[in-house]
C-alpha cells in the first residue's frame, strides 16, 4: 500500500475538500472498526455505507452541473477527473469507492478499464467497480475475458475475483 498522500490539482481541490468533509460528517466508528478488523487494506476508513457514498456522488454531480450549465461534456470530464484523483488516494476506502460512482463510461477505454481492474485493493472495490462502471462499458465482455485469463496466483487473486464479479454483473 502506498502510504503517500496524493496531491490533488488545485482546480479540483475545493471539490476534494468538500468530499472529505462529507466523509467526516457521515463517519461511523462501529462500521469503520468492523471493516478494519475484517482486514481491509486502507489506512483510513470512515465507515460510510454505500447509500451515503451514493448521496455524496449525487450532491457532487448536482454541484458541478449547476456550475457548468449547458455543458454536459465539461461536467462529465470534471467528474471523471475528480474520480481519477480519488482513485489515486489508495489510503482512503471511501475515496476509492466514491471514484467508482464518478468514472465516466464515455471516457473509459479498454486500457483504462484494465488498469482500474488491475489496481483494485479489495473485493469490495472490485464489486463496486464492476457494478458502477465496468458492466456498463460496451467492451465489458472483453475485460471479463482478460481478467478471467490472467492466471491463478496469489498476486492475481483480486483481479481474478474482479473478473468473476464482472461476469456476475453481466449475467444479472
Amino acid at each position: 500500500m502506498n502510504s503517500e498522500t496524493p496531491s490533488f490539482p488545485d482546480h479540483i481541490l475545493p471539490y476534494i475538500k468538500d468530499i472529505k468533509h462529507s466523509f467526516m460528517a457521515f463517519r461511523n466508528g462501529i462500521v469503520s472498526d468492523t471493516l478494519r478488523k475484517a482486514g481491509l487494506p486502507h489506512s483510513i476508513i470512515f465507515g460510510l455505507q454505500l447509500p451515503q457514498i451514493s448521496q455524496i456522488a449525487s450532491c457532487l454531480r448536482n454541484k458541478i452541473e449547476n456550475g457548468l450549465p449547458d455543458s454536459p461534456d465539461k461536467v462529465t470530464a470534471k467528474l471523471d477527473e475528480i474520480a481519477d484523483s480519488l482513485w489515486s488516494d489508495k489510503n482512503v476506502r471511501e475515496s476509492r469507492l466514491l471514484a467508482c460512482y464518478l468514472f465516466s463510461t464515455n471516457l473509459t477505454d479498454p486500457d483504462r478499464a484494465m488498469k482500474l481492474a488491475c489496481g483494485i485493493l479489495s473485493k469490495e472495490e472490485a464489486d463496486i467497480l464492476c457494478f458502477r462502471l465496468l458492466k456498463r462499458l460496451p467492451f465489458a465482455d472483453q475485460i471479463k475475458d482478460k481478467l478471467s485469463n490472467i492466471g491463478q496466483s496469489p498476486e492475481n487473486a483480486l483481479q481474478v475475483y474482479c473478473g468473476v464479479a464482472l461476469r456476475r454483473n453481466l449475467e444479472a
Side-chain angles (χ1 to χ4, degrees):
M1 162 119 33
N2 181 1
S3 61
E4 199 175 298
T5 302
S7 61
F8 301 107
D10 288 342
H11 63 281
I12 64 166
L13 195 54
Y15 298 107
I16 299 295
K17 285 182 179 182
D18 285 348
I19 289 166
K20 300 293 179 157
H21 285 292
S22 294
F23 290 169
M24 287 297 292
F26 284 122
R27 74 184 179 277
N28 182 328
I30 295 169
V31 173
S32 176
D33 289 344
T34 302
L35 292 171
R36 217 173 258 106
K37 288 176 186 170
L40 285 182
H42 310 92
S43 59
I44 300 171
I45 301 172
F46 289 98
L48 274 66
Q49 296 178 11
L50 293 179
Q52 295 162 322
I53 292 171
S54 177
Q55 181 181 351
I56 293 169
S58 180
C59 289
L60 179 63
R61 183 175 310 280
N62 290 338
K63 182 176 184 174
I64 291 173
E65 285 173 350
N66 290 336
L68 295 169
D70 304 323
S71 301
D73 290 342
K74 289 181 181 179
V75 169
T76 299
K78 171 114 26 204
L79 288 168
D80 201 71
E81 183 179 14
I82 292 169
D84 275 336
S85 292
L86 290 169
W87 188 257
S88 72
D89 192 3
K90 294 180 179 188
N91 295 323
V92 181
R93 169 189 171 261
E94 288 75 9
S95 290
R96 302 275 290 184
L97 297 181
L98 179 58
C100 297
Y101 281 77
L102 302 176
F103 284 123
S104 167
T105 55
N106 295 338
L107 299 176
T108 302
D109 62 16
D111 289 337
R112 181 185 192 202
M114 277 303 293
K115 184 178 176 189
L116 291 170
C118 289
I120 57 170
L121 301 176
S122 68
K123 289 182 177 182
E124 180 184 37
E125 283 183 11
D127 288 333
I128 302 306
L129 183 67
C130 289
F131 182 73
R132 297 297 309 176
L133 175 67
L134 298 181
K135 76 173 188 178
R136 292 178 166 88
L137 299 172
F139 45 84
D141 280 321
Q142 296 169 348
I143 299 301
K144 174 196 61 145
D145 292 343
K146 284 183 181 180
L147 290 170
S148 298
N149 295 323
I150 209 163
Q152 295 281 352
S153 69
E155 57 272 354
N156 293 339
L158 285 173
Q159 288 74 32
V160 171
Y161 177 85
C162 189
V164 170
L166 182 54
R167 184 180 69 238
R168 213 176 34 240
N169 275 277
L170 291 172
E171 291 173 353

